[in-house]
Amino acid sequence: MHPLADAIAPLLEHIGATAVRPEQRRPGDIVLDWDGEPAVAVRVPGEELTSALDRLIRTVETELGGSLPELPRADKQKAVRLLEERGAFTMRKSVETVAKALGVSRFTVYNYLNREKS
């Protein structure tokens, strides 16, 4: 892989994208050139993963060090608190999306939210 791939790796990880060799690119991949030659192709996640809420969820997963469904209950509660602080629940259908990401019911997410306000 081209050294450019190593240089942009932290950015790609943050946005959920991956680097692939230019010859492995697919339609929709973004090709980055180096000295006029294709150096690396960037594969961005599909539209369903690029919403603001999905990016917030991925950021919280990174901060908490694991996939949300695999986190213990206390960390799931912390995830809901972090998402609330960042405005996640002002978005349409956010409770349903967060519940699915956590692997819990909407009722549980509402309980976590209400617990924070008590």
Side-chain angles (χ1 to χ4, degrees), residues 13 19 35 59 66 72 80 84 111:
E13 183 178 337
D35 288 334
T59 299
V80 169
E84 168 73 358
N111 280 340

Side-chain angles (χ1 to χ4, degrees), residues 3 8 11 13 16 22 34 39-40 44 50-51 54 64 67-68 80-81 93 96 107 115:
I8 63 172
L11 172 64
E13 183 178 337
W34 188 270
V40 64
V44 294
T50 59
S51 76
D54 290 324
L64 296 178
S67 172
L68 293 184
V80 169
R81 185 178 69 247
K93 298 201 179 232
E96 293 85 350
F107 181 74
R115 183 175 183 188

Side-chain angles (χ1 to χ4, degrees), residues 72-82 84-85 89 106-118:
R73 182 173 185 239
D75 285 344
K76 287 181 180 185
Q77 291 170 335
K78 184 175 182 177
V80 169
R81 185 178 69 247
L82 291 170
E84 168 73 358
E85 289 170 359
F89 296 105
R106 290 180 321 160
F107 181 74
T108 299
V109 173
Y110 284 118
N111 280 340
Y112 291 170
L113 287 167
N114 289 332
R115 183 175 183 188
E116 292 301 316
K117 295 174 184 174
S118 318

Side-chain angles (χ1 to χ4, degrees), residues 60-73:
V60 168
E61 283 181 323
T62 300
E63 289 176 25
L64 296 178
S67 172
L68 293 184
E70 297 169 5
L71 295 175
R73 182 173 185 239

